[in-house]
Amino acid sequence: MSNIGVWEAAEPGVQRCILKAEVGLMMMEVHFEPGAIGYLHSHVHEQMSYCLKGKIEFKIDGVLTTIEKGQTIYIPSGAVHGVTALEESALLDVFTPIREDLVKR
């Protein structure tokens, strides 16, 4: 059973929905309650995150960067990264290649 288009819990206070996963690209929307944390992790995928609303602090390979509505950040392959929602926030994440570890086919 596919989880495309289905909202699911990630970390506490974090919900995600894979919008599309085709060929070599995947798009996912992620919602954060204030103070929610996306735990530090890494993957081989390149990632771009666009802030749909709110304000999010990214930690990428030890460097802190804050983005807010209308801003985008790039996360290179292999970078150790995580986030903290400084307020209620939403991201649009794009990955290449597809995050097969997140997609249920």
Side-chain angles (χ1 to χ4, degrees):
M1 179 173 180
S2 173
N3 63 335
I4 306 292
V6 177
W7 284 95
E8 56 189 12
E11 290 89 0
V14 182
Q15 295 282 320
R16 68 179 171 222
C17 179
I18 298 170
L19 302 173
K20 195 78 168 170
E22 296 281 334
V23 188
L25 287 172
M26 182 176 114
M27 184 179 288
M28 178 171 71
E29 189 169 339
V30 187
H31 291 189
F32 299 84
E33 294 175 6
I37 295 172
Y39 302 129
L40 287 172
H41 65 287
S42 68
H43 43 72
V44 299
H45 313 81
E46 289 181 274
Q47 176 179 342
M48 291 190 87
S49 294
Y50 174 78
C51 188
L52 296 166
K53 74 174 185 178
K55 186 184 280 188
I56 302 258
E57 180 182 74
F58 281 79
K59 186 174 191 177
I60 303 171
D61 284 339
V63 176
L64 296 176
T65 304
T66 300
I67 67 170
E68 52 191 62
K69 182 180 178 179
Q71 296 181 318
T72 302
I73 195 164
Y74 170 74
I75 302 166
S77 173
V80 176
H81 61 284
V83 301
T84 300
L86 303 178
E87 56 192 51
E88 183 178 339
S89 302
L91 293 174
L92 184 63
D93 292 338
V94 177
F95 302 92
T96 187
I98 292 171
R99 293 277 313 264
E100 295 291 348
D101 59 315
L102 299 180
V103 177
K104 297 174 188 140
R105 302 246 183 211

